[in-house]
Amino acid sequence: MQKILLIHTGGTIGMEGETHLEPGHYATALVEQLPEYMGFAKIDSAILCNLDSSDIGPEQWSKLACMIAEHRSQYDGFIVVHGTDTMPYTASALAFALEGLDRPVVLTGAQRPLGALRNDARRNLADSIEVATLNIPEVSICFDGMLLRGCRSCKVNTRAYHAFDSPGCEPLAKLGVDITLGKHIRKPTAPFRCCPRFDARVMVIHITPGLQAELLCRLLEDDNRLDGIVLIPFGVGTIPCLNSHIASFVAQATARGIDVLVANASVGKIDLNLYENSQVLIDAGAISGGEMRLEAALVKLMHACATYSNHAERLEYLRWNVAGELE
Ligand code: ASP
């Protein structure tokens, strides 16, 4: 029988009541609600924390990655029970920290708690148990009958059971009457290693019409405080150039050794060569984030800044398609 470790981190799935959601159920209780799965796989459970996922960040990502790495050889798959709000960030963090992953790590949660009527928790957990036994060596999100690549996912709806999507990346699996696996499921391309560090001195700047470069330049005044910037431009990578000094802000940042990674606000690939108003970002030393959206780009840059002190190594890492995040 396959062995699964279910790690609880918190979220709505294990909370009690409908209006005042307080942390209540823990992983053991979750598994006890699915007795028919006890004969399907041997499921052990562990509690990492019991937090609303808005409180989950680099510290918990590191602990989670280490916990999975430590138990990796004892289990065929892992399930991480997590709040929905920041699940794509945690999924991205695990995808980058667990390099060369050779077994499934499935994140799941729910829009309604396991104890509530008409909940989606039971199905999401049951689906996760099943996919955690399959040959899908990726970090994924299992939700509403879809298995999504974690580092391509984003939360798209706060009020529907279809809470997640992975725009531009087909589901790794569809869980209907049958389970259909995608042909693009990745296989490990490097030996396994756990690199669980993240640098929190990275921030996101979303370009909007009329944004004043002068305000952004203040961020550079204390150059010891910022290590990286994820820039979200318009379209494939354009920024205002007429009467705007944003390109010069980016050039000043990169000149101070701050990596500027350009990520996507919509579906498609960043292509900085396409327009004059995007080429300026190449000239300013920014790096294209391919098809990465905000969540994956932020976490990859945090990971790169913490893992590689050398600028050339960081660049090489950011250009490497580690877990299918770039295309
Ligand atoms: N606020 C909750 C969380 O992310 C929402 C949820 O779990 O659905 O922890």
Side-chain angles (χ1 to χ4, degrees):
M1 204 188 308
Q2 302 240 34
K3 285 183 76 182
I4 296 171
L5 181 61
L6 184 148
I7 305 172
H8 186 78
T9 68
T12 297
I13 189 167
M15 291 175 171
E16 281 173 340
E18 295 221 10
T19 44
H20 299 288
L21 297 177
E22 296 289 338
H25 295 288
Y26 286 88
T28 317
L30 294 179
V31 174
E32 280 169 3
Q33 304 258 356
L34 297 157
E36 69 275 31
Y37 280 88
M38 297 308 114
F40 175 78
K42 163 114 178 57
I43 305 170
D44 292 337
S45 54
I47 299 164
L48 182 87
C49 55
N50 194 16
L51 296 171
D52 186 284
S53 73
S54 49
D55 277 324
I56 289 187
E59 185 191 330
Q60 290 77 19
W61 301 340
S62 296
K63 286 186 181 157
L64 202 46
C66 291
M67 195 167 189
I68 293 170
E70 206 178 299
H71 292 90
R72 180 173 140 270
S73 55
Q74 296 149 42
Y75 292 95
D76 300 292
F78 294 84
I79 297 173
V80 177
V81 175
H82 197 284
T84 58
D85 290 343
T86 67
M87 197 184 288
Y89 293 92
T90 302
S92 299
L94 293 177
F96 299 132
L98 302 171
E99 227 173 84
L101 183 68
D102 57 357
R103 56 205 71 202
V105 173
V106 185
L107 282 82
T108 196
Q111 295 283 54
R112 279 169 76 84
L114 195 55
L117 296 177
R118 284 191 312 101
N119 72 72
D120 55 333
R122 199 179 183 288
R123 180 193 182 185
N124 290 344
L125 269 176
D127 284 350
S128 300
I129 293 171
E130 208 154 333
V131 293
T133 64
L134 301 178
N135 183 18
I136 306 177
E138 295 210 29
V139 179
S140 57
I141 288 184
C142 186
F143 220 92
D144 194 38
M146 293 286 171
L147 188 73
L148 305 174
R149 177 166 291 157
C151 60
R152 295 294 296 272
S153 62
C154 53
K155 187 169 175 178
V156 292
N157 203 319
T158 57
R159 299 299 298 163
Y161 289 148
H162 189 78
F164 294 97
D165 220 330
S166 56
C169 181
E170 282 293 304
L172 298 175
K174 292 181 184 162
L175 298 114
V177 174
D178 299 310
I179 298 181
T180 322
L181 298 185
K183 291 195 171 46
H184 58 307
I185 292 173
R186 292 169 64 91
K187 298 281 171 269
T189 53
F192 178 79
R193 66 174 190 147
C194 176
C195 313
R197 287 182 303 138
F198 300 91
D199 178 350
R201 288 179 310 190
V202 174
M203 67 178 291
V204 176
I205 295 177
H206 200 135
I207 301 296
T208 47
L211 181 64
Q212 297 288 299
E214 294 66 28
L215 297 177
L216 300 179
C217 286
R218 301 228 175 118
L219 295 169
L220 306 178
E221 277 168 17
D222 179 355
D223 58 0
N224 283 323
R225 296 197 65 87
L226 207 56
D227 291 334
I229 294 171
V230 171
L231 193 78
I232 312 281
F234 303 118
V236 293
T238 56
I239 58 167
C241 290
L242 208 61
N243 305 324
S244 169
H245 300 291
I246 291 175
S248 140
F249 157 73
V250 173
Q252 284 179 53
T254 58
R256 286 170 194 234
I258 300 171
D259 295 320
V260 179
L261 181 62
V262 184
N264 215 328
S266 53
V267 186
K269 201 170 185 166
I270 291 291
D271 182 359
L272 298 179
N273 295 299
L274 202 60
Y275 295 99
E276 250 175 67
N277 283 33
S278 55
Q279 176 74 42
V280 289
L281 285 175
I282 299 184
D283 300 340
I287 310 152
S288 165
E291 293 197 14
M292 275 194 289
R293 294 169 66 96
L294 184 156
E295 294 88 343
L298 176 75
V299 176
K300 190 174 185 185
L301 189 54
M302 289 166 99
H303 188 246
C305 288
T307 311
Y308 304 98
S309 53
N310 178 295
H311 177 66
E313 279 180 356
R314 275 202 306 279
L315 271 190
E316 193 185 335
Y317 176 74
L318 290 168
R319 290 186 177 131
W320 176 37
N321 193 16
V322 180
E325 72 282 10
L326 294 186
E327 51 188 29

